Amino acid sequence: MTDTPEEDGIEPIAERKMRFLFALRSKGVTDARVLAAMERVDRGPFVRGLFAERAYEDMPLPIACGQTISQPSVVGLMTQALGVGPRDTVLEIGTGSGYQAAVLSLLARRVYTVDRFRRLVREASEIFATLAIPNIVAIAGDGTRGLPDQAPFDRILVTAAAEDPPGPLLSQLKIGGIMVLPVGQSDTVQSLIRVRRLETGFDYEELRPVRFVPLVEGMASD
Ligand code: SAH
């Protein structure tokens, strides 16, 4: 434990918020809509237990089921790369804490978010209800298959790393649609890539190195 003011809860909320936004900007999150959305979504409720007091720092933190809530600047950069519009239907694979979905919900018309842990979906849904977020549908399922019943999607965001973009997700993207995801063959070397679906085929662009938990096929047991 340290006795710095922010960890004692003494730091005024406005200052905490300013530091949070400054960290985002200094890491390259410059899109005004994304910054405004991230200013509005309080990361606090999405981080429970031991690490709650670090919710406003720009770092990834452990959540239930051995998973991780992403670093805020990475959430910002991925959201920015996705280029979400107010009429878009977005699919997120990897609900985790629900924080990324909450940020997307302020930018899109509707967000579907899928996780293989029922517990994470349940806990995230409780937070969405508490915060009265009306446009997120959280579903327990294997995200490598996408969500065929709701497809196609304008935007798809995957927040767990696969070796390659899963075929079902590529096929559930609208023409002109964009998918952002981490890909890589190991836990340590991954790249964030942006895929655009063209009239014929796909365009791939490498954005930056990242580190995510793996995308695992099949449902989890809890
Ligand atoms: N976006 C989250 C962080 C996600 S961590 C947030 O804002 O907090 C990655 C998540 O991907 C984990 O919760 C993990 O359970 C989930 N995941 C991994 N493989 C999956 C799969 N096949 N289908 C759905 N979710 C998966």
Side-chain angles (χ1 to χ4, degrees):
M1 281 295 198
T2 71
D3 58 1
T4 52
E6 63 270 27
E7 293 190 5
D8 278 339
I10 293 167
E11 185 182 42
I13 289 172
E15 276 175 30
R16 193 177 73 191
K17 204 175 246 187
M18 258 175 52
R19 278 198 310 124
F20 184 76
L21 292 172
F22 180 79
L24 295 179
R25 283 206 191 86
S26 67
K27 301 268 176 66
V29 183
T30 52
D31 184 296
R33 284 186 77 229
V34 174
L35 286 167
M38 293 188 70
E39 183 173 0
R40 277 178 61 195
V41 180
D42 183 356
R43 192 169 178 248
F46 297 94
V47 182
R48 301 183 187 204
L50 273 180
F51 293 93
E53 64 188 18
R54 317 205 77 160
Y56 305 100
E57 294 176 31
D58 190 27
M59 49 166 58
L61 295 169
I63 56 170
C65 306
Q67 305 303 312
T68 333
I69 177 172
S70 311
Q71 189 175 349
S73 56
V74 171
V75 170
L77 290 169
M78 288 178 89
T79 308
Q80 183 167 287
L82 203 58
V84 183
R87 287 156 48 149
D88 287 348
T89 298
V90 181
L91 171 64
E92 180 198 24
I93 306 302
T95 311
S97 66
Y99 176 66
Q100 170 78 72
V103 170
L104 289 169
S105 76
L106 295 179
L107 299 166
R109 185 170 65 83
R110 182 176 294 271
V111 178
Y112 292 94
T113 181
V114 180
D115 205 287
R116 59 191 289 275
F117 284 96
R118 288 183 187 84
R119 174 177 169 191
L120 294 177
V121 169
R122 189 177 62 243
E123 292 182 355
S125 300
E126 285 166 11
I127 302 174
F128 302 148
T130 306
L131 299 178
I133 301 176
N135 59 337
I136 303 178
V137 181
I139 298 168
D142 178 4
T144 60
R145 296 162 185 233
L147 216 49
D149 291 349
Q150 312 298 338
F153 300 97
D154 299 287
R155 298 287 185 268
I156 299 178
L157 182 61
V158 187
T159 62
E163 272 191 29
D164 295 300
L169 296 183
L170 289 171
S171 68
Q172 290 171 29
L173 197 57
K174 277 187 194 168
I175 290 173
I178 296 174
M179 169 156 71
V180 170
L181 76 163
V183 291
Q185 300 208 332
S186 78
D187 283 356
T188 48
V189 187
Q190 302 164 359
S191 295
L192 189 66
I193 64 164
R194 174 162 52 195
V195 183
R196 286 172 203 271
R197 183 162 196 177
L198 311 173
E199 290 278 350
T200 52
F202 295 88
D203 178 55
Y204 294 84
E205 185 187 348
E206 204 170 318
L207 302 177
R208 66 196 302 274
V210 281
R211 195 166 171 186
F212 275 84
V213 297
L215 188 71
V216 180
E217 264 184 58
M219 284 294 292
S221 51
D222 47 348

